[in-house]
Amino acid sequence: MTADKLPELDLEWEAEKICRWGAARAGVIVVAPLVGTMALMANEVYMIIRLGELRGVKLDESAVMGLLGSLGATFVGQTLTTLIPFAPVQIPVGISVTYAVGRVANAWLKAGRPEDIASFKEIYEQARQEGLNHIDDFKEMHCKDEPLGDESRRFNLQTDKLLQKVMAGADAAEKALSDGLQSINDKFIRPFAYKTDVWLTAQRWQQLKRGEITVPYSELADYLNKNLQQEGWKILKLAYQEPACFSISVRQPEYGVIDAVFAVESFEISSNCAAAELELRDFSVADNKFAEIALDFLGSELIMGLIDLLFAKIDIPGDKVDTVYEQRRLKIDFYKALQSSRFAEMTLMNKPLLERVQLQQMTPQPEGLQIKVKISS
């Protein structure tokens, strides 16, 4: 977004600056505890009023509410999403929706404030997408810290039943997410997370807000067995074992059943590292060459299967996974493997996934492997 791409008319440039101001401010206030979405609404109202003043039109509260209400369920559904306390979604939603509202309001004012705004809905969607494409630009604008008006003011939303939904609070947002998850994912959230749906499913939502994901042992075992069919290996059991370990029992065609117990010494996936270290606590096969091969296989397949499952089945190439087994420790480096897989194409909010998401440690728990997740905006 640069000035040389803007219309040369001063009036249009001033209107564009107001829209950007409102959008930049939305990215700050939308994550404010308790009052974020209501402040977002106030921010949009003041933005529209300022756009009216720019064109010499004095808009009262009812006129502004009428315009917002006319945008219909699409606007309400997207605004409702900001009630879900998850900043990587709230910020892009708040910015892009506010920018789109401003652009529609400007076009509506230019057209003489017609009652039928159906023709402006295409402008809304185009502007919303443009806002998404320039999230980082809006977040860096200095005006983001300057309110357009009194953000604590509570406007009368009773004039439109659609807008009353926005007042319903976080419980309604959670219900909307649960009831209409597929629609929200398809129409709005999915553009943020190409091939990363697992991060935004209803099943993972509460875990993400707590900064962790737990993968049940049964889910991981089923997924691994599908991948191991051609190898002839079969996981018979994958379970928690005290203290803070996991046990794995595998049948191998030539050697029969192999049992092992591992503790997780380290685990990290970030923009410059993807590695894990497992400590062998117990193993049923004597220390020989097969034992080393078996441990390499067990450890690397388990870790790779876990990552593949988490990142929407990216098919990590096994020949690029480096494993070292010594002194009862198995070190697995899979950074090159991730970068060589479809993982490299995955983005979140227009940036490589690992610039937004870091997995910092893994701890065996009775219910599954718990992974700490840090998601930055």
Side-chain angles (χ1 to χ4, degrees):
M1 277 190 161
T2 57
D4 59 351
K5 294 182 180 179
L6 295 167
E8 294 188 9
L9 288 174
D10 288 344
L11 196 62
E12 291 303 314
W13 173 219
E14 292 303 318
E16 176 68 13
K17 287 196 292 185
I18 292 172
C19 294
R20 293 185 182 190
W21 181 11
R25 182 62 184 158
V28 174
I29 62 179
V30 73
V31 293
L34 302 178
V35 301
T37 298
M38 294 302 100
L40 178 67
M41 294 295 299
N43 179 64
E44 290 171 349
V45 170
Y46 287 122
M47 177 181 64
I48 295 171
I49 290 174
R50 284 177 178 268
L51 288 167
E53 292 172 347
L54 179 65
R55 296 184 179 276
V57 177
K58 184 174 178 58
L59 296 173
D60 59 23
E61 183 178 317
S62 62
V64 175
M65 291 301 153
L67 173 62
L68 292 175
S70 297
L71 291 173
T74 299
F75 164 70
V76 169
Q78 292 169 356
T79 303
L80 197 62
T81 307
T82 66
L83 289 164
I84 301 167
F86 186 50
V89 170
Q90 287 174 300
I91 293 173
V93 173
I95 287 175
S96 61
V97 167
T98 301
Y99 183 66
V101 167
R103 291 283 293 273
V104 167
N106 184 51
W108 175 71
L109 288 161
K110 282 175 60 179
R113 295 178 288 161
E115 291 186 10
D116 183 7
I117 72 159
S119 60
F120 301 118
K121 291 186 178 180
E122 185 175 346
I123 295 175
Y124 175 89
E125 186 55 37
Q126 290 175 347
R128 187 184 68 80
Q129 188 59 53
E130 185 177 346
L132 288 176
N133 293 338
H134 295 280
I135 292 295
D136 290 336
D137 295 332
F138 285 119
K139 288 167 65 176
E140 293 173 3
M141 293 179 68
H142 295 300
C143 60
K144 69 181 184 296
D145 297 319
E146 182 180 351
L148 282 80
D150 180 8
E151 293 169 354
S152 64
R153 181 178 174 186
R154 295 295 178 264
F155 290 92
N156 178 17
L157 304 183
Q158 300 302 316
T159 56
D160 194 289
K161 292 182 180 180
L162 283 173
L163 290 177
Q164 290 180 36
K165 295 180 182 178
V166 181
M167 297 287 287
D171 289 342
E174 294 286 357
K175 187 175 188 301
L177 181 67
S178 176
D179 294 347
L181 176 66
Q182 191 61 46
S183 176
I184 291 174
N185 271 341
D186 289 343
K187 294 181 181 179
F188 190 69
I189 294 178
R190 199 176 301 277
F192 295 151
Y194 172 62
K195 290 181 182 177
T196 60
D197 299 333
V198 67
W199 302 104
L200 298 175
T201 61
Q203 291 81 5
R204 306 291 193 199
W205 196 268
Q206 293 296 330
Q207 296 182 63
L208 281 173
K209 289 192 295 183
R210 295 195 302 267
E212 63 188 34
I213 285 180
T214 300
V215 179
Y217 297 111
S218 58
E219 181 180 342
L220 179 56
D222 289 344
Y223 186 71
L224 288 171
N225 276 328
K226 291 178 183 178
N227 295 339
L228 295 175
Q229 285 180 349
Q230 293 183 347
E231 304 285 347
W233 296 64
K234 181 178 176 59
I235 295 179
L236 304 177
K237 182 180 180 182
L238 181 60
Y240 175 74
Q241 182 162 324
E242 293 185 343
C245 296
F246 66 88
S247 62
I248 183 168
S249 180
V250 183
R251 179 186 292 121
Q252 200 272 345
E254 184 176 354
Y255 290 90
V257 176
I258 304 165
D259 296 307
V261 177
F262 290 101
V264 181
E265 290 297 304
S266 64
F267 180 85
E268 179 184 355
I269 302 179
S270 63
S271 58
N272 55 18
C273 175
E277 182 175 341
L278 305 179
E279 180 188 358
L280 180 65
R281 294 289 178 87
D282 191 17
F283 192 43
S284 63
V285 178
D287 291 337
N288 54 33
K289 186 62 179 176
F290 171 72
E292 181 177 339
I293 294 173
L295 290 172
D296 276 358
F297 181 84
L298 290 179
S300 60
E301 284 292 328
L302 186 139
I303 295 296
M304 291 302 93
L306 175 66
I307 303 308
D308 192 44
L309 179 59
L310 282 175
F311 288 120
K313 304 179 183 179
I314 57 177
D315 301 324
I316 302 172
D319 60 341
K320 294 186 181 295
V321 177
D322 296 324
T323 61
V324 176
Y325 176 64
E326 56 185 9
Q327 297 181 340
R328 303 181 70 84
R329 291 180 182 268
L330 180 63
K331 298 180 181 180
I332 307 163
D333 188 327
F334 49 96
Y335 183 77
K336 290 186 296 184
L338 282 185
Q339 298 305 318
S340 300
S341 70
R342 289 187 291 124
F343 175 85
E345 304 171 10
M346 297 169 67
T347 61
L348 184 62
M349 294 186 297
N350 300 322
K351 284 192 175 183
L353 180 63
L354 289 186
E355 290 188 23
R356 303 290 190 188
V357 179
Q358 292 85 46
L359 279 61
Q360 298 177 316
Q361 67 184 67
M362 180 169 68
T363 306
Q365 299 285 356
E367 62 273 16
L369 294 175
Q370 182 187 85
I371 302 169
K372 295 295 183 181
V373 181
K374 180 180 179 181
I375 302 182
S376 61
S377 58

